[in-house]
Amino acid sequence: MVEKLFIQGNEACALGAIKAGCRFFAGYPITPSTEVAENLARLLPKYGGSFVQMEDEISSMGAVIGASWGGSKAMTATSGPGISLMQENLGYAFMTETPLVIVNVQRGSPSTGQPTMASQSDMMQVRWGSHGDYEPIALSPSSVQEYFDFTIKAFNLSEKYRVPVFLMTEESIGHMREKISIPKSVDLVARKEPTMSPDEFLPFKNRKNATNPMPAFGDGYKVHVSGLTHNEIGYPDTNNPKTHAVLVKRLCNKILKNREKITSVKSEFTDDADVVVVCYGAPVRSVTTAVKEAREEGIKAGYLKINTPWPFPDDDVKAVCESAKDIIVPEMNLGQMVHEVERVFAGDAEVHLLSKIGGELPKPSEVLNAIKSVGGN
Amino acid sequence: MRKEIRIAGFGGQGVILAGIIIGKAASLFDNINAVQTQSYGPEARGGASKCDVVISDEEIDYPKVENPDILVAMSHEALIKYMVDLKQGATLIIDPDMVQEDDIKDFIKERDLTVYHAKATATTVNEIHLKIVANIVMVGAITKATGIVSEEAARKSILDSVPKGTENKNIDAFEAGMRIVEA
């Protein structure tokens, strides 16, 4: 039986986490993400899980990493200022290949900015925020249903690739209420555990584009979990150039070489489109209205919705926008993902940023005007 | 057909819950689509607070209310702040004890508004003896005056949304709202 509910985005995220098997949450409340924590504080104990309100976001990320190595599917939820504090431990999570999910309900930034207003200004923060080379996965929902579905997907991807996964939403979707369907059962990715004897097990083995099995603390396997450059056993080996190159390339390639399996997009009206709007997250809602109106006026416009900003879906964007002369990228920031679109097109099409900051969604009329002004007429 | 509804008042009157109930009635019990959004932050704690609902039999893309077809004003401040957004020929529902309708007579004429009156606050004090259900009285008034949701859906939505043990008082409030609303 499918259960239907009329609920807020952040509440849907909490339900999705429970459905995905998340049994640990540590965090520090921050608008506009607090309802995720609030709902999980109520739900987790009922499912045998744990909820901890920490003293700040630094310790929150530490606790989530620890819970994951303890064998739990673990998550936290925050907003831009919280992600800033989490960056050091996030780097440790990438280096130690710790599966976990971080929800970022984005608000106006920089600094404490606009707590109750929406933005998309952390898209590069989660891509490059911690020092070093690494490849994150990020998902961007555009509806309350997708926020639920993508939460489950985030856990699955994080377990499959042993990597932190960001759920990048905005205040608009976090606080919006819509109808969602909760399926009775969902497909889950179980953490791959080692099957060989503890003596033979290499926890950080150099596997080509694949993820190593991960034992939980207490399973009997000896695992040294270090943020230092480590060898296949997990021991620091920091002066060996080869060890470092092999390790960091493996961390990146397990994502990049599986890009097609990870990324997902949705497009409409793009086959003959002169203008394609490339969008993600909440602004998709304005874009779909605008593109339909443009079509009614005889303008050949289409849109491409990116579900996974990271890794960026290069090939999909290229394929869908092939016929387009102009590409519009609406963002609730001063231009972040637009650089990725420009990189992919490198001169083949005109890429225009439609930027709006201040906390409000772009209006459909603003997107429609942009479509008209770039040559849709 | 897309309809935009804004319910506004001051923080604490329960306008948010009223909007959630309307949205839930439409989407779960009338089986059409609804999206609800609301004001957050300091303005929701005493100042003018608003709750927006978009209802449509088609998929709802843009989730925000720009020009309401229906404005429900439970305070004068909220009325003045939000009436300018109303569509030409829209519906305005007011609590006459909470707003000065005389102040906006010209505006009502200019914008060709259909005005309904529901003494929600007085009714809750005098009839239900529980002031906090004024929002549910308004849900009754909205349902009766606009038909935006069915009576049955509104009832089910109220029962699904209010705290256990308060169902009877809230249904009384809903019925009072249906009864007292007048042009």
Side-chain angles (χ1 to χ4, degrees), chain B residues 65-126:
Chain B
V65 166
E66 280 192 276
N67 300 112
D69 300 274
I70 300 164
L71 171 65
V72 183
M74 292 180 71
S75 79
H76 194 69
E77 189 192 347
L79 172 68
I80 299 303
K81 187 168 177 187
Y82 297 120
M83 69 180 190
V84 289
D85 298 330
L86 276 168
K87 276 199 185 88
Q88 193 71 22
T91 299
L92 175 65
I93 303 176
I94 52 174
D95 183 336
D97 296 329
M98 305 299 281
V99 307
Q100 285 88 51
E101 194 182 345
D102 284 351
D103 289 4
I104 62 157
K105 263 192 172 146
D106 293 341
F107 180 83
I108 291 172
K109 214 170 176 183
E110 268 167 43
R111 205 56 70 100
D112 189 25
L113 304 179
T114 306
V115 184
Y116 289 94
H117 306 85
K119 291 182 174 237
T121 313
T123 304
T124 54
V125 174
N126 301 334

Side-chain angles (χ1 to χ4, degrees), chain A residues 24-25 64 66 130 159 167 181 189 194 238 315 360:
Chain A
F24 184 88
F25 180 103
V64 170
S130 201
E159 292 296 335
L167 207 50
S181 303
V189 172
T238 57
D315 291 349
E360 289 171 337

Side-chain angles (χ1 to χ4, degrees), chain B residues 130-152:
Chain B
L130 191 65
K131 203 176 166 187
I132 58 166
V133 294
N135 55 344
I136 308 298
V137 177
M138 264 311 178
V139 171
I142 297 164
T143 306
K144 181 76 178 181
T146 69
I148 193 84
V149 292
S150 70
E151 192 187 321
E152 195 197 345

Side-chain angles (χ1 to χ4, degrees), chain B residues 148-162:
Chain B
I148 193 84
V149 292
S150 70
E151 192 187 321
E152 195 197 345
R155 274 177 203 277
K156 284 182 182 165
S157 180
I158 290 167
L159 293 175
D160 196 60
S161 308
V162 300

Side-chain angles (χ1 to χ4, degrees), chain A residues 313-356:
Chain A
D314 287 27
D315 291 349
D316 289 325
V317 174
K318 228 180 262 177
V320 170
C321 302
E322 218 164 27
S323 69
K325 297 183 190 80
D326 291 278
I327 291 164
I328 299 171
V329 184
E331 293 196 83
M332 297 169 77
N333 56 46
L334 293 181
Q336 297 197 11
M337 298 309 290
V338 69
H339 299 306
E340 292 296 306
V341 182
E342 281 168 347
R343 177 180 60 75
V344 166
F345 283 96
D348 293 341
E350 288 280 327
V351 178
H352 313 266
L353 169 68
L354 175 61
S355 163
K356 183 166 182 177

Side-chain angles (χ1 to χ4, degrees), chain A residues 4-6 8 31 35 116 171-172 175-179 285-286 288-289 292 361-365, chain B residues 16 19-20 23-24 27-28 31-38 40-42 60-64 66:
Chain A
K4 299 219 187 272
L5 298 169
F6 184 76
Q8 216 177 37
T31 304
E35 296 83 5
T116 61
E171 185 276 338
S172 338
H175 282 162
M176 181 162 95
R177 283 185 180 80
E178 281 184 306
K179 176 162 64 178
R285 306 289 290 250
S286 313
T288 46
T289 307
K292 283 174 199 165
L361 273 182
K363 291 185 172 146
S365 57
Chain B
I16 307 278
I20 295 171
K24 191 187 276 185
S27 78
L28 294 189
N31 252 324
I32 52 177
N33 296 305
V35 182
Q36 178 269 344
T37 55
Q38 67 204 54
Y40 269 87
I60 298 167
D61 295 323
Y62 185 61
K64 301 281 181 178
E66 280 192 276

